[in-house]
Amino acid sequence: MRRLTKLHQKVYNLLKKIPKGKVTTYKILARVVNRPKNWREIGKILSQNSYPQKYPCYKVVRSDGKIGGYKFGVKKKIVLLKRDGIIFKKNKVFNFKKHLFNFFYE
DNA sequence: TCGAAGGCGTAAC
DNA sequence: GGTTACGCCTTCG
């Protein structure tokens, strides 16, 4: 396991704040941790998450509503999201904006 | 309005 | 200093 940076901890902590049935995006996470141009880094950080049950990185999708990637396979990611009530249609989140969790209004 | 393609910034290793 | 990473945005048909 790689050493966790402060950015890791910030991102993982934010993941726990996502309510059930909601998703967020890499871009939003990047903004919240004050690294607005670091969305790719966010994805990398999530892939380094060794505790998917503790930190639900599957709740993070791309800003256009597409699934994005997942360390344990996109299919697994879809299954987990469906369990939370997120429906996928043509590789995109159905009613994406409705399910989008925005950290800014906390 | 929608999908596909291409170019691109950042930090850890 | 090069490679890598679960992406974003713009353009075009």
Side-chain angles (χ1 to χ4, degrees):
Chain A
M1 175 96 188
R2 293 179 178 85
R3 180 177 166 274
L4 294 185
T5 65
K6 285 191 175 180
L7 195 52
H8 279 88
Q9 298 181 11
K10 275 189 179 180
V11 172
Y12 295 160
N13 203 43
L14 287 172
L15 291 179
K16 292 197 295 186
K17 292 185 178 181
I18 303 175
K20 190 173 184 179
K22 295 284 185 179
V23 296
T24 189
T25 72
Y26 303 101
K27 184 185 175 183
I28 291 175
L29 285 177
R31 286 199 65 146
V32 173
V33 299
N34 213 18
R35 300 269 200 293
K37 291 181 180 177
N38 254 36
W39 359 265
R40 278 183 112 176
E41 182 72 6
I42 299 295
K44 182 182 177 182
I45 286 173
L46 294 181
S47 72
Q48 293 170 349
N49 171 24
S50 300
Y51 306 97
Q53 296 182 343
K54 189 173 181 181
Y55 305 111
C57 57
Y58 67 89
K59 288 184 178 177
V60 186
V61 297
R62 290 171 42 156
S63 61
D64 56 3
K66 288 182 183 175
I67 302 173
Y70 190 53
K71 185 180 182 181
F72 306 100
V74 172
K75 283 189 177 181
K76 183 74 177 175
K77 188 171 183 175
I78 295 175
V79 170
L80 291 170
L81 286 172
K82 277 188 178 178
R83 191 194 297 169
D84 276 8
I86 309 295
I87 300 173
F88 277 91
K89 203 171 184 178
K90 280 278 180 182
N91 271 7
K92 294 183 85 171
V93 178
F94 183 67
N95 265 346
F96 177 48
K97 290 185 177 179
K98 185 177 178 182
H99 293 292
L100 190 59
F101 177 63
N102 196 328
F103 289 96
F104 299 113
Y105 300 122
E106 277 193 289

